Amino acid sequence: MGYIETFETYIQATNTHDFNYVKSILDNNAVYWFADKSFTSMSEIQNYFESTWNVIKNEVYSVINVQWIAVDSNSATCIYTYHWEGYHEDKFVSGNGRATNIFIKNTHGHWKIVHEHSSSN
């Protein structure tokens, strides 16, 4: 699976609301930067995802305007606009923002996310 397919799988995995699927796409040393917090361990990243899924019920995450701005044989970087929607305390809510993902090809030849930086609009 190439980096583009890995990115598409990541979006699908996020929408399962099962971190085991998300984790399979992340590098063990992944670092996540969100507007309000940074996470440098898998357990911190997992807690953030699961907390979000608990607060925003039936969340659906999507991306548009994906641009691959730097690609070589072992790394790839994309920027994109994201949109999310779901229910918070039985009220429909939604939001959007911008993000950057950096992928690396690991020693087994699999593409993994090593970094995500996102900020809401």
Side-chain angles (χ1 to χ4, degrees):
M1 179 168 34
Y3 57 88
I4 294 173
E5 294 85 4
T6 301
F7 180 66
E8 292 168 349
T9 300
Y10 173 61
I11 302 306
Q12 294 168 1
T14 300
N15 285 321
T16 68
H17 299 187
D18 182 340
F19 190 76
N20 289 318
Y21 292 115
V22 174
K23 182 178 179 180
S24 71
I25 298 160
L26 304 183
D27 185 77
N28 290 333
N29 297 312
V31 174
Y32 270 59
W33 290 353
F34 295 107
D36 59 340
K37 295 183 177 152
S38 297
F39 305 103
T40 58
S41 73
M42 195 63 70
S43 63
E44 291 174 336
I45 296 167
Q46 179 174 356
N47 287 340
Y48 189 85
F49 270 82
E50 291 176 347
S51 173
T52 299
W53 293 328
N54 285 330
V55 172
I56 307 299
K57 303 295 182 190
N58 300 314
E59 181 196 33
V60 176
Y61 185 83
S62 60
V63 299
I64 59 171
N65 301 325
V66 179
Q67 298 174 53
W68 294 94
I69 61 171
V71 175
D72 67 26
S73 60
N74 292 306
S75 65
T77 302
C78 67
I79 58 174
Y80 56 93
T81 301
Y82 67 85
H83 176 81
W84 61 268
E85 59 185 42
Y87 293 87
H88 180 258
E89 297 178 352
D90 297 323
K91 293 181 185 173
F92 181 78
V93 292
S94 64
N96 58 53
R98 298 180 298 174
T100 303
N101 285 80
I102 301 173
F103 296 77
I104 58 169
K105 189 184 289 186
N106 68 15
T107 57
H108 302 291
H110 300 121
W111 288 94
K112 301 287 184 174
I113 295 174
V114 71
H115 179 63
E116 178 169 306
H117 184 183
S118 64
S119 59
S120 58
N121 288 339

